[in-house]
Amino acid sequence: MGYMTVETNSPTLLHLKRAPGIRSWSLLVGITSAGLAAAYYSSDSILWKLFYVAGCLFVALQNMEEWEEAMFDKTKKLIELKTISLYALLLTLWRRGQERIVLDLAQLCDVCVEEERVRYLGKGYHVMLRLAAGISYPLTQSATMGGRSDVEAVASLVKRFLGMDEMQRKQQEYEDYGEYDSTDSDNEAD
């Protein structure tokens, strides 16, 4: 899957990962190469050359996507969302750069795909986790550009793992059965 890759898929644990894509690595190499070229071909002092390389590396790291993980653990009844930013790690000298959100699995009501407008690039998609308290968390911080099918595949995998498809189908059958009973009682009253 292009949106997230499956690391572990057992009956009690679903572990999904996402790493920076080819666009991020290409930007890192391209921008850093521009700094190296400016340093190599300039006749400035060594301090200016270091400034060119460091400045371009700084800009390149800002454009890097983050490493993201999502773990759905049925035994602990927890959802753990973890984000690791190389830029924040380097900027804070390894003191920060990891964000971790832990959610209660029992509070999860729905998993759906949401569309997001991305300026200049079009539409992006990501999986949203909707909780009973009315709060929604994205499965990943950055939306995936292009096709919606990869994101929908991850959403359906999460739903299948949690058994949400069966619960929604049973709830729909229950609601349909309730409507059927009410129409029968209305017909009998006439």
Side-chain angles (χ1 to χ4, degrees):
M1 290 180 209
Y3 179 61
M4 293 188 90
T5 57
V6 178
E7 287 292 311
T8 306
N9 189 1
S10 69
T12 58
L13 180 70
L14 177 62
H15 185 190
L16 303 171
K17 277 190 171 184
R18 182 177 183 173
I22 189 73
R23 178 184 166 274
S24 288
W25 292 110
S26 299
L27 280 172
L28 179 74
V29 170
I31 295 172
T32 305
S33 297
L36 287 171
Y40 181 76
Y41 290 110
S42 74
S43 59
D44 294 332
S45 70
I46 190 76
L47 289 176
W48 276 109
K49 290 180 181 187
L50 285 173
F51 177 73
Y52 297 153
V53 173
C56 286
L57 186 62
F58 182 75
V59 170
L61 287 173
Q62 280 182 320
N63 287 303
M64 280 288 291
E65 290 178 346
E66 296 155 342
W67 282 265
E68 296 176 297
E69 293 183 35
M71 290 188 1
F72 297 85
D73 194 345
K74 288 182 180 177
T75 56
K76 296 178 185 175
K77 298 193 184 321
L78 293 176
I79 303 170
E80 184 178 339
L81 306 175
K82 193 186 303 182
T83 304
I84 302 167
S85 171
L86 182 62
Y87 173 70
L89 280 171
L90 290 175
L91 199 61
T92 61
L93 302 174
W94 278 265
R95 285 188 220 130
R96 299 193 72 196
Q98 279 191 326
E99 293 180 19
R100 188 172 159 225
I101 298 173
V102 179
L103 306 170
D104 186 10
L105 190 59
Q107 294 294 315
L108 185 64
C109 293
D110 190 24
V111 177
C112 63
V113 176
E114 201 168 274
E115 183 179 299
E116 181 179 299
R117 302 265 320 141
V118 179
R119 189 176 2 170
Y120 309 121
L121 297 176
K123 295 178 186 175
Y125 303 96
H126 51 88
V127 176
M128 293 296 288
L129 306 174
R130 301 207 190 280
L131 302 178
I135 300 170
S136 297
Y137 283 100
L139 194 60
T140 59
Q141 297 298 316
S142 55
T144 299
M145 307 305 291
R148 184 180 176 128
S149 61
D150 288 345
V151 182
E152 286 179 345
V154 170
S156 66
L157 175 67
V158 171
K159 281 184 178 182
R160 261 194 326 272
F161 173 75
L162 298 174
M164 295 181 96
D165 286 336
E166 295 172 21
M167 286 188 333
Q168 289 175 349
R169 190 176 336 112
K170 287 179 182 178
Q171 184 178 7
Q172 185 65 35
E173 287 175 2
Y174 178 75
E175 289 173 359
D176 291 344
Y177 181 74
E179 289 176 8
Y180 179 73
D181 281 350
S182 65
T183 55
D184 283 349
S185 62
D186 290 343
N187 290 338
E188 290 173 6
D190 291 336

